[in-house]
Amino acid sequence: MSSERFEDCDDDFKAAMGDIRTDLRVISKRTGEQKKSTIRKLERRAEDAERVLQEMESEAQIAPASFRMSMHSKVVKHRSDLEKAKRELRQASSAASSRDDLLAGGRTYGTQDPAVIEASQRNRLLKGSESLNRASESIARSKQVAAESETIGVETLEELVGQREQLLRAGATVKETDDQVSKAKRILISMGKRVVTDKLIMITIILLELGIIGGVVYWKFFSK
């Protein structure tokens, strides 16, 4: 049975993803500061879900080999769901930023300081770099989970091969034992027949001896 902590983290992750999906469905209907607030809340929830998922990965790594494969499969599925939600969040955040930039550009067209424009562009580049770094880290973790799953699969296969060999040896031992039992049964039957034969021979000899004794007695005492 998987660890209780893994199951608790699984419940926490599902709850967090439920909240994220709910907000993602309504984010397109919101505008302005309300949309920004929703995006920030979604980012925090995504970070919480990421921490929970990392804890699940740690629990899966120390779980017994017989349960590790199913636990890693669940982690991989959760990772895929989280990455999909993050992509939707990045798209919503990018759309909101682009809209704000267009509005700001319309308001300050021809009057905005080039240094301010450069700083805004730098901030967008930094945000893009951070998004790429997070995506790269997620891909690296997914590759690590895949490699660990492959290792677990190999270990499980080796265990199954070992168990198959044990079953084959046990089957051979049972067959050998059955052969020995059959042989012993034949020997006992043969011994039983020999005992019966010996008893019949002994009874025959006793009867012959009694007949001879009877004949001698008759001849000695009654024949005159």
Side-chain angles (χ1 to χ4, degrees):
M1 188 174 182
S2 59
S3 70
E4 182 178 354
R5 182 56 188 160
F6 183 88
E7 297 298 336
D8 291 341
C9 289
D10 185 45
D11 293 338
D12 292 342
F13 181 85
K14 289 177 180 177
M17 286 302 300
D19 293 338
I20 290 173
R21 291 191 185 99
T22 300
D23 284 340
L24 283 174
R25 282 193 294 268
V26 301
I27 194 171
S28 59
K29 301 176 183 179
R30 296 176 179 175
T31 58
E33 191 59 36
Q34 188 180 24
K35 187 171 187 177
K36 291 180 181 179
S37 176
T38 302
I39 290 174
R40 287 193 294 269
K41 183 173 69 173
L42 279 168
E43 288 174 346
R44 288 194 298 271
R45 285 180 175 171
E47 291 174 357
D48 292 339
E50 179 67 37
R51 284 193 292 270
V52 172
L53 195 57
Q54 289 176 3
E55 189 167 353
M56 290 179 69
E57 290 175 348
S58 300
E59 290 291 332
Q61 290 173 359
I62 61 176
S66 55
F67 299 106
R68 208 177 301 161
M69 177 65 76
S70 61
M71 293 169 73
H72 272 288
S73 298
K74 186 175 290 187
V75 170
V76 170
K77 181 181 181 302
H78 288 346
R79 172 69 61 189
S80 176
D81 293 341
L82 180 58
E83 290 304 320
K84 180 180 177 181
K86 284 182 176 180
R87 285 195 298 271
E88 294 179 10
L89 177 58
R90 285 195 293 270
Q91 290 171 359
S93 178
S94 177
S97 298
S98 298
R99 183 176 179 277
D100 290 343
D101 289 343
L102 286 173
L103 292 174
R107 290 191 300 267
T108 60
Y109 179 75
T111 61
Q112 192 170 10
D113 190 346
V116 175
I117 297 175
E118 183 180 355
S120 176
Q121 292 176 344
R122 188 182 299 110
N123 288 332
R124 286 199 297 273
L125 287 173
L126 288 174
K127 289 182 179 178
S129 298
E130 290 176 358
S131 298
L132 286 174
N133 289 334
R134 286 195 295 268
S136 298
E137 291 174 358
S138 298
I139 292 172
R141 282 193 293 269
S142 298
K143 288 182 177 179
Q144 181 181 359
V145 171
E148 290 174 354
S149 299
E150 183 180 359
T151 302
I152 294 168
V154 172
E155 292 176 354
T156 304
L157 181 60
E158 291 176 351
E159 288 183 2
L160 291 175
V161 170
Q163 292 174 0
R164 179 177 179 274
E165 292 176 352
Q166 290 177 355
L167 289 174
L168 290 175
R169 287 195 295 270
T173 302
V174 170
K175 185 176 183 302
E176 183 180 352
T177 303
D178 187 57
D179 292 341
Q180 291 176 354
V181 169
S182 299
K183 184 178 179 181
K185 185 178 179 181
R186 289 194 298 270
I187 292 172
L188 289 173
I189 292 173
S190 176
M191 290 174 64
K193 290 180 179 179
R194 190 174 301 131
V195 169
V196 171
T197 302
D198 292 343
K199 285 184 178 181
L200 290 174
I201 292 172
M202 187 177 295
I203 291 171
T204 302
I205 292 172
I206 291 171
L207 290 175
L208 286 174
E209 288 178 350
L210 289 174
I212 293 171
I213 293 171
V216 170
V217 170
Y218 178 80
W219 176 78
K220 188 173 183 179
F221 294 100
F222 298 101
S223 61
K224 294 181 180 181

